[in-house]
Amino acid sequence: MTQPHAPIEPYDTGMLDVGDGNLVYWEVCGNPEGKPALVVHGGPGSGCGTGARRNFDPDRYRVVLFDQRGCGRSTPHASDPATDMRHNTTGHLLADMERLRGHLGIDRWLLFGGSWGSTLILAYAERHPERVSEIVIPHVTTTRRSETDWLYRGVGRFFPEAWERFLAGAPGVGRDGDIVGAYARLMADPDPAVRERATADWCAWEDTVLSLEPYGAAHPYGDRPSKDKVALVRICSHYFSHGVWLEEGVLLRDAGRLAGIPGVLLHGRQDMGGPPHTAWELARAWPDAHLTVLPDTGHKGSEAMRAEVIGALDRFAGK
């Protein structure tokens, strides 16, 4: 089995002023003269971790990681109820990525990330294709409203008891109502006890959706530090209740803009939160992408998926 590359630490870090009172944390690892690559984390609101660094050969890559607005080490933090979420949208994040590229003096970079990160990658690449050399995406999603509805309603047919508890956490919302919007309102409630309960209910549901997967932590959402959980749920519900400020289906419709950009798409057959059909649709619409569906993998990944990721990044390192 392919082994991760050796652990590395950043050789440069900073806080980028992106306007609206926001400072975005960034770090750079690996070889200062290496191939530029940007890691785009998921969530939205998860923050960048150290594990993603080990997917890259530190001798051949200049790896950039950043915490998206409101999470991780970026400020102000979304766990603070005083943080203004009006300045945290997909458009803001795309502008932050481009500002970071210019700040670091990078002409073109490889983009790597999955789940919500893949949505942000696709939106950025379709807006700035001339700035993207290659794309590697595990766990493909375009965060269409239909995909969000599946995650917070449709997949409940497999977990009816847990979904009823999730629904009950949003009093007054019917079975066909706007459950994500209701949680966004709960996360904006002035009562900290209300926000705490909504955070716990949301994370319990997310953990349930991933509970049948054979790999990974048992409670990847619920076991996060309290501050990070609050920020994650607040940002997720904020984004998803607004359809992530993207026209429904626009990333698939405009995938032709990615022509000429080599892409590797990886998706787990057992991903209950995001079935493989979105990855399949994207691969059909993007002429230079290759899709691999891994039979024993879900949203939490696996050794087989990590091997595919490292293999793809190693192949792209010399280009």
Side-chain angles (χ1 to χ4, degrees), residues 66-310:
F66 74 109
D67 290 324
Q68 295 161 29
R69 291 191 184 203
C71 67
R73 288 146 291 188
S74 294
T75 61
H77 203 264
S79 62
D80 182 350
T83 298
D84 189 348
M85 298 299 288
R86 292 178 302 169
H87 300 136
N88 197 332
T89 70
T90 300
H92 286 102
L93 300 188
L94 295 175
D96 294 349
M97 292 164 66
E98 185 62 1
R99 189 186 294 257
L100 179 59
R101 183 195 61 77
H103 176 74
L104 296 175
I106 293 171
D107 181 48
R108 299 168 73 230
W109 47 10
L110 176 148
L111 303 180
F112 168 75
S115 194
W116 159 251
S118 69
T119 296
L120 205 53
I121 283 171
L122 294 169
Y124 177 90
E126 290 180 10
R127 182 176 294 190
H128 303 288
E130 74 284 357
R131 298 303 182 188
V132 181
S133 57
E134 300 91 10
I135 294 173
V136 178
I137 296 176
H139 322 300
V140 179
T141 178
T142 64
T143 321
R144 289 172 290 181
R145 289 166 179 82
S146 59
E147 294 170 55
T148 300
D149 187 68
W150 168 262
L151 178 57
Y152 297 105
R153 187 192 317 279
V155 74
R157 68 192 66 182
F158 293 97
F159 308 101
E161 305 94 336
W163 190 80
E164 290 286 354
R165 291 193 293 270
F166 181 53
L167 179 63
V173 176
R175 298 181 66 84
D176 296 324
D178 182 10
I179 190 170
V180 173
Y183 271 88
R185 292 188 291 274
L186 291 170
M187 293 304 296
D189 194 285
D191 186 343
V194 172
R195 299 194 301 273
E196 182 180 354
R197 181 71 257 169
T199 298
D201 289 341
W202 181 284
C203 290
W205 171 247
E206 295 275 15
D207 283 341
T208 296
V209 173
L210 304 183
S211 63
L212 301 181
E213 297 187 8
Y215 303 103
H219 305 102
Y221 288 86
D223 287 345
R224 298 178 190 223
S226 178
K227 179 181 175 181
D228 293 340
K229 283 193 292 188
V230 172
L232 174 68
V233 176
R234 190 178 181 203
I235 294 171
C236 276
S237 59
H238 170 63
Y239 270 71
F240 297 158
S241 65
H242 287 89
V244 302
W245 297 274
L246 291 176
E247 179 187 343
E248 183 74 352
V250 66
L251 298 181
L252 291 173
R253 185 196 70 197
D254 292 347
R257 296 179 182 177
L258 304 174
I261 301 175
V264 172
L265 307 177
L266 305 166
H267 207 88
R269 183 78 69 188
Q270 299 182 24
D271 191 337
M272 294 290 286
H277 75 278
T278 295
W280 178 259
E281 291 176 294
L282 179 60
R284 295 182 68 186
W286 178 3
D288 296 285
H290 176 76
L291 170 64
T292 299
V293 178
L294 291 89
D296 64 342
T297 301
H299 203 75
K300 292 187 288 187
S302 65
E303 291 184 3
M305 177 168 279
R306 184 153 200 170
E308 291 284 349
V309 165
I310 293 172

Side-chain angles (χ1 to χ4, degrees), residues 54-66:
R54 300 190 64 187
N55 292 320
F56 296 87
D57 183 337
D59 294 327
R60 297 196 288 171
Y61 274 105
R62 178 188 179 193
V63 187
V64 181
L65 303 94
F66 74 109

